[in-house]
Every structure is written in structure tokens, then in C-alpha cells.
């Protein structure tokens, strides 16, 4: 049985059909703006949340990468080490290729600093001898920014027999890195869970859409519509939800960044940094939109696979 | 055109709707299907349209064994059939024109061709002036005729109608039947299920009568077996 329509250009007919269906799907969303926006808003929030976390972490990472340069290593020498011996050690260390500069803090200066910082000034007055050791403060070269290189240097210095204790003053930088790593991983976990939530939202919305258009689907099947033809409007609806949700997520993220920009800049100034929040670049924006469109497509695909089969003419 | 070879249909409940049906309907033939309520008329039409599958036996449609057609290929079989129901299944969310255009859109016709054919089909059922109306605003008879226009707009080889005049007055019923006769005159094979015996007699087309799922009387002229392929 052959009764196929005359088509001069199959491809343009195919393309035309896709265009028509995609705009028809958009039109359907447009005539019920409240329902559409509610679904899109849920998608947007689910996407903006991990996006915001990601940007926050990215910024903290950028900010803290500068701090490692200001790492100091305090070398607490044994108390019986004489000033002369200590100065010799200092001169030797200054030639070390990983060290930029060494500060010498003698016992008296140390005590003064301690008084200032600790507020135990009065109590310390009653000490008859200075219990503090000589301290050499080592500033590693900027090039040794990697935490590993720095801790290697700490170990090396600690082996010197004049040194009682070598202490990295900014241990917390290391802790921060570990924390950032954990946070990074949890963002992946959160993102995956929210992505699944988006799939479920789109899937459920499309399922309702399929139920509402059950009559149309039935008639279409009766007059010979292929599965691909029946699927198409729903898949496009899913993509549109994804697109609208993605754009909304972008707007939400940008607004939140704007709100935080000023206080963060002021905070950074307090730390003598001209750090500025870096927002969503073009690449990240594109990725966000593409990702949310794909989620919309996949979500609707799941619903369509499950529910179109259930509608058969009878 | 249609060849039923020892067809039986048992519904999941265990009820035998059709048993051992043998029929041959020649190309270009018009015929009626009659019988009491529950005789199996609708079931027979559904088997041709592949809405149901037979439990036993083979159906050949224009030489194609429908048992060999996978579910995915069913749409392509249906594109050669125009189906009309008692409940005309019009979509009320779109105007008449869009309803009638559906089969053409599904098959990827071009816009100009769609316009031409839809207007021709509406003209044939005498409702060209209603192309922009909403189906809900039309009378029952008019809606039925829109359904017919949709069924014939893509010029199917076979027209199946299940009680197309079920809820129409005698005059309108006759008009509709005459419409079918006209399509038949231009070569379309037509099979109509109806229990309006008076009307059938008036139309002068042969009738097959079913009783409890079996052929009680076959008024079809004898036809040599259509060549069977596959
Ligand atoms: N989907 C179904 N599941 C189970 N039994 C069915 C189904 N459809 C029809 N039947 C049964 O099959 C028999 C034939 O039904 P069918 O609809 O073909 O009759 P009909 O001749 O069209 O009757 P009517 O004139 O009332 O439309 C009936 O006894 C009916 O109860
Ligand atoms: Mg019936």
C-alpha cells in the first residue's frame, strides 16, 4: 500500500515540522503563564542553588590562593641556643633557595610581642627570667605557593638540631583547602540530587500534559501519527521548560551576586585586598543554559516513554 | 482489498467477539456490516484498523498480512485508512480547519497542499464556510461531517465507518450515506457498520450480517482471491 504525500524536499519539510512544533509548544506554555512560570521557577531555584554555591566556592578558592604567599614558618629554637649561633643559622637560611627572608626575634622582643598580644603583661612582669626561646620567622619564596612544598620546607627546617619546633603559622590555609575540597565534592552531590529533582519536576509536568491531551494523542494515533510525531511536542515542551528555568536561574544567580558584591568588596578592603566577586562568565552561562535544556529534554523523554504507550485508541 | 482468513478474536475477559470469520471485500467495493448489538461489528473494524489484534487467523489488507506488521509500523498502515466513529472524536481546542488538516500534517504535506486538500474535503462534505468555526459550535450532523472530511482528506484507499449515523435524524443519515457512496464512486473501498436496516436497503450496497461473532449472511459478490504477498 503506497499512498505517500508528494514531498519535493523531505528535509525542509522535516525542519519545517520541527520549527512549527517547537513554536506550537511554546505557544501552549505562553497561554498558561502562571503554571509555566511556577514550574520554571522550581527548576530555576533547583539550578540556582548549586550554581550559587559553586560561584561562592570558586571565589573563596581564588581569594585564598593569594594567602598562601603570606605563609610564615616560625622556628622556635632550643632555649639554650645563644644569639650568635642563632644569627649564624639565620644567615645560612637566608641563602636557602626556597626562602625569601628570615626575621630574627630575640628573647626580649619576643617577650614584648607576647605581652602585647596576650594581655598577660602584668603577670609576666613577675617572671625573674625570660622563658621564651629565640624565634626565627621564615618567609618562604612566593613561588613555593603549593601547600605541599611549604610543608616540605617546614619538615626540613624542623630537622635542624638548633630548632626545637618548626611551625607553619597558617595551618588554617591548609585546613581551608581541605574544607574547600569537601565543599566541592558536596556541591557535586547536591547538584546531582537537584538535577534529579529537576528531572522529576519536568517529568511530572509533562505527564500531566500528556493526560490533558489524551484525546488528541488518541486521535493522532488513529489517523496514523508515528510515535516520533506524537512525542515531539512534549519533548519540545520539556526543552522550553529547561530553557526558561535556565534563564531564570541565571537571573536569580546574577541578582544574588549583585546583592553580595558590595559587602564582600568592603570585607575584602578590610583585608587590604581589592578582591572582587567574579560572577557567571559567558562560558558558565552557556553551560548552565545547555544543562538545564538537556535536563528538560531528558525529563520529558522519561515521561513520554512511560506514558504515551498507555494511551491507545480503543 | 480486505481479506479475513479464519479470524477469531477473544477479548482478555475470555469473551469470543468474533469466531472463524472469512471475508473478502474487493477493491472499490462498498459494503455494510450489520448485526445486533454485541455481534462484533466494531471489533471487526478495529481488527482492520489494527486497534485490536486477532487471536487467531490472518487479515490481509491490500495484500499485506497485518500479522507481519509490528506495532511501530501500524501508523503507516493507518495512513491508508480513513476511520469514522459514531463519536466523531473531533478536537475542540482547535478550529475545524485544523481538525481536518491533522492527517496531512502528520504525513508531512506542504502548507499549500494542506490548504488545497482541506478546502476540497470540506467542500465535499458541504461545510467549506465553517473552516474557521470551533467544532463545538456546530450541530451533531455538521460535526459528523467534519469527522468524515478528516477521514477522507488524505484520500485513503479504504474508508471504515462505525455507526456514522448513530445519533442523526433519518434525513441527515441518508445524506451522510450518500456522501460515502460518492467517495465509493471515485474508487474508495468503503465498509460501514450500521444497524439501520432501512437505510442500508435504500443504499443498495451489499451487507454482511454478523450474529454472535459469526457471519450469518454474506451478501458480498464473490471475488477471486486478491493476490497475497508475504
Ligand atoms: N475491549 C473489550 N474487552 C472485552 N470485551 C469486549 C471489548 N470490546 C468489545 N467486547 C465484547 O465483544 C463483543 C462484541 O463487541 P462489539 O463492540 O464488536 O459489538 P458491536 O457489534 O459493535 O455492538 P454495538 O452495535 O453495540 O456497537 C461484545 O460482547 C462486547 O462486550
Ligand atoms: Mg459497535
Amino acid at each position: 500500500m503506497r499512498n505517500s504525500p508528494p514531498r519535493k524536499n523531505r528535509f525542509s519539510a522535516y525542519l519545517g515540522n520541527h520549527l512549527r512544533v517547537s513554536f506550537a509548544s511554546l505557544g501552549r506554555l505562553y497561554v498558561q503563564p502562571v503554571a509555566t512560570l511556577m514550574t520554571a521557577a522550581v527548576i530555576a531555584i533547583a539550578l540556582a542553588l548549586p550554581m550559587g554555591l559553586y560561584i561562592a566556592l570558586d571565589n573563596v578558592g581564588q581569594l585564598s590562593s593569594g594567602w598562601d604567599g603570606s605563609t610564615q614558618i616560625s622556628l622556635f629554637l632550643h632555649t639554650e641556643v645563644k644569639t650568635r649561633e642563632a644569627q649564624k643559622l639565620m644567615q645560612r637560611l637566608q641563602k636557602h633557595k626556597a626562602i625569601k627572608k628570615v626575621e630574627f626575634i630575640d628573647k626580649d622582643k619576643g617577650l614584648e610581642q607576647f605581652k602585647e598580644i596576650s594581655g598577660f603583661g602584668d603577670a609576666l612582669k613577675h617572671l625573674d627570667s625570660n622563658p621564651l626561646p629565640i624565634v626565627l620567622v621564615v618567609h618562604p619564596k612566593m613561588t613555593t605557593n603549593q601547600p605541599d612544598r611549604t610543608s616540605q620546607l617546614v619538615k626540613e627546617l624542623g630537622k635542624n638540631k638548633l630548632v626545637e619546633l618548626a611551625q607553619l603559622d597558617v595551618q588554617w590555609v591548609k585546613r581551608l583547602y581541605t574544607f574547600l575540597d569537601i565543599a566541592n565534592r558536596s556541591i557535586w552531590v547536591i547538584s546531582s540530587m537537584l538535577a534529579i529533582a529537576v528531572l522529576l519536576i519536568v517529568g511530572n509536568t509533562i505527564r500531566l500534559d500528556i493526560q490533558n491531551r489524551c484525546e488528541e494523542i488518541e486521535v493522532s494515533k488513529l489517523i496514523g501519527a508515528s510515535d516520533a510525531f506524537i512525542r515531539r511536542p512534549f519533548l519540545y515542551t520539556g526543552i522550553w521548560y529547561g530553557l526558561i528555568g535556565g534563564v531564570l536561574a541565571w537571573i536569580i544567580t546574577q541578582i544574588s551576586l549583585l546583592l553580595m558584591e558590595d559587602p564582600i568588596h568592603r570585607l575584602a578592603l578590610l583585608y587590604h585586598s581589592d578582591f572582587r566577586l567574579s560572577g557567571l562568565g559567558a562560558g558558565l552561562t552557556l553551560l548552565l543554559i545547555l544543562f538545564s535544556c538537556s535536563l528538560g529534554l531528558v525529563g520529558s523523554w522519561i515521561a513520554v516513554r512511560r506514558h504515551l504507550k498507555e494511551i491507545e485508541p480503543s | 482489498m480486505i481479506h479475513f482468513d479464519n479470524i477469531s478474536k477473544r477479548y482478555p475477559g475470555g469473551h469470543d467477539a468474533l469466531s472463524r470469520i472469512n471475508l473478502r471485500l474487493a477493491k472499490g467495493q462498498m459494503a455494510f456490516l450489520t448485526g445486533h448489538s454485541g455481534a462484533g461489528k466494531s471489533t471487526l473494524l478495529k481488527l482492520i484498523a489494527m486497534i485490536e489484534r486477532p487471536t487467531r487467523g490472518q487479515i490481509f489488507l491490500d495484500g499485506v498480512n497485518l500479522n507481519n506488521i509490528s506495532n511501530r509500523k501500524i501508523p503507516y498502515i493507518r495512513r491508508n485508512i480513513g476511520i469514522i466513529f459514531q463519536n466523531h472524536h473531533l478536537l475542540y481546542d482547535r478550529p475545524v480547519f485544523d481538525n481536518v488538516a491533522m492527517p496531512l500534517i502528520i504525513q508531512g504535506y506542504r502548507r499549500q497542499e494542506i490548504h488545497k486538500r482541506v478546502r476540497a474535503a470540506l467542500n465535499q462534505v458541504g461545510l467549506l464556510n465553517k473552516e474557521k468555526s470551533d467544532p463545538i459550535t456546530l450541530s451533531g450532523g455538521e460535526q459528523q461531517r467534519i469527522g468524515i472530511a478528516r477521514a477522507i482528506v488524505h484520500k485513503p484507499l479504504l474508508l471504515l465507518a462505525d455507526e456514522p449515523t448513530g445519533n442523526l435524524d433519518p434525513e441527515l443519515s441518508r445524506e451522510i450515506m450518500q456522501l460515502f457512496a460518492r467517495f465509493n464512486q471515485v474508487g474508495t473501498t468503503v465498509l460501514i457498520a450500521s444497524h439501520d436496516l432501512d437505510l442500508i436497503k435504500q443504499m443498495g450496497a451489499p451487507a454482511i450480517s454478523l450474529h454472535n461473532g459469526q457471519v450469518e449472511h454474506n451478501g458480498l459478490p464473490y471475488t477471486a482471491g486478491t493476490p497475497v504477498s508475504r
Side-chain angles (χ1 to χ4, degrees):
Chain A
M1 292 175 58
R2 234 164 279 107
N3 186 15
S4 54
R7 273 176 295 188
K8 287 223 177 69
N9 189 339
R10 269 174 168 273
F11 182 70
S12 84
Y14 182 76
L15 207 71
N17 179 274
H18 270 268
L19 270 179
R20 194 180 50 72
V21 172
S22 73
F23 282 109
S25 300
L26 185 60
R28 275 180 181 279
L29 294 180
Y30 183 75
V31 294
Q32 27 183 309
V34 178
T36 302
L37 279 181
M38 284 210 315
T39 304
V42 177
I43 297 170
I45 292 166
L47 290 172
L49 195 66
M51 200 71 208
L53 285 176
Y54 172 79
I55 290 173
L57 263 191
D58 190 48
N59 279 294
V60 171
Q62 276 181 31
L63 188 61
S64 61
S65 71
W67 296 340
D68 202 41
S70 62
T71 304
Q72 301 178 356
I73 304 166
S74 301
L75 300 179
F76 298 90
L77 305 185
H78 291 287
T79 37
E80 61 273 15
V81 172
K82 299 283 180 310
T83 308
R84 220 158 40 80
E85 283 173 291
Q87 274 168 342
K88 254 187 209 156
L89 174 63
M90 181 175 93
Q91 279 155 14
R92 241 187 306 131
L93 288 180
Q94 268 164 343
K95 284 175 198 141
H96 194 290
K97 63 179 186 305
I99 292 172
K100 193 172 76 176
K101 153 179 123 179
V102 183
E103 270 178 77
F104 190 89
I105 298 172
D106 61 27
K107 293 185 177 190
D108 297 339
K109 199 171 155 202
L111 189 62
E112 245 166 65
Q113 277 185 1
F114 186 70
K115 275 183 195 160
E116 255 173 49
I117 298 167
S118 68
F120 287 136
D122 290 339
L124 291 172
K125 254 183 225 157
H126 304 293
L127 288 173
D128 28 351
S129 69
N130 186 343
L132 294 179
I134 294 173
V135 178
L136 296 181
V137 178
V138 172
H139 297 263
K141 279 216 175 100
M142 282 303 199
T143 47
T144 60
N145 255 349
Q146 304 93 321
D148 283 353
R149 295 270 310 261
T150 312
S151 60
Q152 233 173 4
L153 184 62
V154 174
K155 235 182 245 167
E156 185 191 327
L157 297 174
K159 283 190 190 129
N160 190 298
K161 53 184 185 307
L162 298 185
V163 175
E164 173 160 36
L165 175 69
Q167 188 183 321
L168 188 61
D169 282 353
V170 277
Q171 276 288 348
W172 64 273
V173 170
K174 215 169 166 184
R175 287 194 196 119
L176 179 70
Y177 278 124
T178 323
F179 167 74
L180 285 183
D181 196 36
I182 293 169
N184 244 321
R185 273 160 213 240
S186 30
I187 282 190
W188 279 109
V189 174
I190 293 170
S191 303
S192 315
M193 290 196 308
L194 287 170
I196 291 171
V198 171
L199 288 183
L200 294 177
I201 294 159
V202 174
N204 194 47
T205 310
I206 298 291
R207 181 182 64 82
L208 291 174
D209 199 21
I210 290 173
Q211 277 171 8
N212 285 336
R213 294 170 72 181
C214 157
E215 175 95 3
E216 180 184 350
I217 293 167
E218 202 180 317
V219 171
S220 300
K221 285 192 173 180
L222 267 179
I223 59 181
S226 63
D227 287 349
F229 182 93
I230 295 173
R231 234 183 272 144
R232 211 165 288 148
F234 298 104
L235 297 184
Y236 271 110
T237 305
I239 295 176
W240 285 120
Y241 273 127
L243 182 65
I244 300 169
V247 170
L248 281 181
W250 183 83
I251 293 172
I252 293 174
T253 315
Q254 290 293 38
I255 290 177
S256 328
L257 284 176
L258 271 179
L259 289 178
M260 289 193 297
E261 173 139 51
D262 201 42
I264 286 187
H265 186 57
R266 267 185 284 142
L267 180 72
L269 282 180
L270 289 181
Y271 285 90
H272 308 291
S273 152
D274 64 346
F275 172 79
R276 279 191 177 277
L277 261 183
S278 55
L280 283 152
L284 208 54
T285 302
L286 194 69
L287 206 70
L288 170 70
I289 302 286
L290 278 182
F291 183 62
S292 75
C293 286
S294 327
L295 281 182
L297 178 61
V298 174
S300 59
W301 182 268
I302 293 169
V304 161
R305 269 197 67 109
R306 286 203 47 200
H307 300 289
L308 277 190
K309 272 202 204 89
E310 291 165 8
I311 301 171
E312 278 295 334
S314 62
Chain B
M1 186 73 197
I2 303 171
H3 175 193
F4 271 56
D5 178 17
N6 216 13
I7 283 294
S8 297
K9 172 65 185 178
R10 170 173 292 184
Y11 279 110
H15 181 83
D16 286 309
L18 293 175
S19 43
R20 278 173 274 114
I21 303 280
N22 287 289
L23 280 177
R24 275 179 197 279
L25 188 67
K27 206 170 239 173
Q29 178 76 53
M30 173 158 170
F32 287 100
L33 196 57
T34 65
H36 60 91
S37 181
K41 306 180 292 291
S42 299
T43 304
L44 195 145
L45 295 182
K46 283 177 189 171
L47 290 176
I48 301 170
M50 300 196 75
I51 295 168
E52 295 286 352
R53 296 262 193 181
T55 315
R56 208 169 301 131
Q58 294 174 307
I59 302 171
F60 296 90
L61 191 59
D62 204 26
V64 175
N65 186 344
L66 296 186
N67 286 354
N68 295 338
I69 302 296
S70 67
N71 285 347
R72 282 192 45 197
K73 292 272 173 58
I74 289 178
Y76 304 98
I77 294 293
R78 288 189 184 147
R79 288 178 190 185
N80 298 290
I81 308 174
I83 308 170
I84 294 145
F85 297 89
Q86 180 177 355
N87 160 11
H88 30 72
H89 278 297
L90 294 183
L91 300 179
Y92 292 126
D93 63 351
R94 59 198 73 190
V96 164
F97 184 96
D98 294 15
N99 267 282
V100 177
M102 280 179 77
L104 303 177
I105 290 171
I106 280 167
Q107 295 184 44
Y109 278 80
R110 312 182 75 110
R111 183 187 287 268
Q112 302 99 305
E113 187 73 13
I114 291 176
H115 270 263
K116 214 174 78 191
R117 290 204 181 204
V118 170
R119 307 182 111 242
L122 284 174
N123 194 31
Q124 276 174 298
V125 299
L127 289 172
L128 188 51
N129 57 332
K130 300 283 188 189
E131 62 173 333
K132 293 197 178 72
S133 311
D134 284 330
I136 198 90
T137 65
L138 303 181
S139 74
E142 286 170 332
Q143 292 191 21
Q144 188 59 284
R145 282 190 280 163
I146 299 299
I148 293 170
R150 186 181 64 193
I152 53 109
V153 72
H154 58 300
K155 298 187 178 146
L157 302 173
L158 172 65
L159 211 52
L160 300 177
D162 195 357
E163 318 234 9
T165 61
N167 47 13
L168 302 179
D169 64 50
E171 177 126 7
L172 258 175
S173 302
R174 200 161 39 246
E175 255 176 56
I176 299 262
M177 287 302 183
Q178 272 156 6
L179 208 51
F180 287 128
R182 234 184 300 142
F183 294 129
N184 176 243
Q185 275 157 22
V186 297
T188 313
T189 311
V190 181
L191 182 58
I192 305 166
S194 170
H195 44 218
D196 192 341
L197 292 173
D198 288 342
L199 189 56
I200 292 172
K201 215 173 279 168
Q202 282 179 36
M203 294 306 297
I208 306 150
S209 77
L210 295 178
H211 184 80
N212 283 340
Q214 288 180 304
V215 178
E216 188 184 50
H217 173 77
N218 184 348
L220 290 175
Y222 173 79
T223 49
T226 37
V228 168
S229 65
R230 272 179 277 176

